[in-house]
Amino acid sequence: MYLKYCEKKDLDYLKSKYENEIKNLILRNDDSIYKNFIIYDFILNSKGGRDKILDCGSGPSPLAWLLCDYFKEGYMIDLSVKNGFNKQNLNHNIGDFFSYIETHEDNSIDYALDGCSLTHFEYNETGNIGLIKSANALYRKIKKDGYVVIASDVISHLEESNHGQEEFLKVKDMIEIYESEGFKLIGEFDYESINNDFIIDLDYHGKSRFNLTYCNLIFKKN
């Protein structure tokens, strides 16, 4: 279920396993369920540290709130959305991610969560600058043997181009960015899992039109 494109069977599994937790979602569509609970499922079933988590673009999501039951501290940052989920060990922050991440000590975060936020931060015709900056910052802040767990919209590897934009990337481009900063993908990505179960027809600001799909990526700091 990890390191692959999302298939209907993956979403059906998450819906069945986390039926009660899903009730906390503000938006209970397939997009939200997959992006929140593929991350949730991996973290609950992995053996990383249990001190600190950081949701890198929380929006209205309950993900960090749910995970705080398993961690000493939880942190969430969003540029503008005030999150309504509260716990004593959950810290809310509104502001710029790149400034905020520097308030954390180096080698202090066990898990960073990205439900398709980092890819939207900063980009131009030269590339996805924001994702490069995020990978660099996270590598410094995450502990040895810590993780970045991602559920993101991506362009299929079968597409011939990025359609004249750098906001949405292909899986191989995201892997290259994170691994160039020192992270390692925890296994081989299953490119053969590409399917038509979840196709997002995107009109990109009237400039181009292309399809997106969902995927999961998990990077570890060794």
Side-chain angles (χ1 to χ4, degrees):
M1 186 166 63
Y2 312 129
L3 305 181
K4 62 189 291 290
Y5 296 108
C6 178
E7 297 179 86
K8 185 178 183 298
K9 63 181 181 181
D10 303 323
L11 190 62
D12 289 344
Y13 168 83
L14 294 172
K15 286 179 177 179
S16 174
K17 186 172 183 180
Y18 299 112
E19 180 180 2
N20 289 330
E21 291 87 345
I22 286 170
K23 293 175 183 177
N24 293 291
L25 289 174
I26 304 300
L27 298 173
R28 297 177 197 167
N29 55 29
D30 289 347
D31 180 285
S32 182
I33 293 170
Y34 176 74
K35 288 175 181 173
N36 281 277
F37 286 96
I38 190 69
I39 294 174
Y40 187 73
D41 186 78
F42 173 78
I43 293 176
L44 291 193
N45 291 288
S46 60
K47 297 180 179 179
R50 288 294 188 261
D51 291 327
K52 184 196 289 190
I53 55 167
L54 169 64
D55 190 333
C56 297
S58 57
S61 168
L63 180 58
W65 176 77
L66 288 166
L67 286 168
C68 270
D69 288 343
Y70 306 93
F71 287 83
K72 292 179 181 177
E73 296 179 290
Y75 294 82
M76 55 171 64
I77 175 70
D78 196 272
L79 184 62
S80 59
V81 177
K82 184 176 181 180
N83 191 288
F85 292 93
N86 296 286
K87 278 182 182 168
Q88 188 172 1
N89 63 336
L90 180 58
N91 301 273
H92 294 243
N93 299 274
I94 296 289
D96 172 66
F97 172 80
F98 300 114
S99 299
Y100 171 74
I101 190 66
E102 298 303 333
T103 67
H104 290 268
E105 294 183 2
D106 289 354
N107 305 301
S108 67
I109 298 170
D110 294 295
Y111 291 86
L113 327 175
D114 175 25
C116 197
S117 293
L118 299 179
T119 193
H120 300 300
F121 284 170
E122 185 179 351
Y123 49 88
N124 59 30
E125 65 278 359
T126 67
N128 197 308
I129 303 163
L131 200 57
I132 295 169
K133 290 167 60 177
S134 298
N136 176 275
L138 289 171
Y139 190 79
R140 288 185 285 108
K141 301 302 177 181
I142 287 177
K143 295 178 181 178
K144 184 180 183 298
D145 296 325
Y147 296 90
V148 180
V149 190
I150 300 168
S152 187
D153 300 336
V154 289
I155 299 173
S156 166
H157 68 282
L158 300 177
E159 294 281 339
E160 294 183 358
S161 75
N162 279 11
H163 303 279
Q165 57 80 47
E166 295 295 338
E167 182 177 1
F168 297 99
L169 301 179
K170 297 179 182 179
V171 168
K172 67 177 182 63
D173 299 322
M174 295 182 72
I175 293 174
E176 182 178 337
I177 286 171
Y178 277 93
E179 292 197 337
S180 68
E181 295 297 337
F183 287 106
K184 294 297 180 185
L185 198 67
I186 65 169
E188 294 293 323
F189 186 84
D190 181 10
Y191 287 99
E192 293 186 1
S193 63
I194 191 67
N195 62 85
N196 293 319
D197 291 347
F198 301 101
I199 297 295
I200 307 160
D201 180 20
L202 180 66
D203 181 353
Y204 191 74
H205 306 299
K207 299 176 182 178
S208 59
R209 194 177 197 101
F210 52 90
N211 291 332
L212 297 171
T213 188
Y214 310 133
C215 82
N216 167 250
L217 294 170
I218 304 163
F219 295 96
K220 188 174 184 180
K221 179 178 176 178
N222 295 319

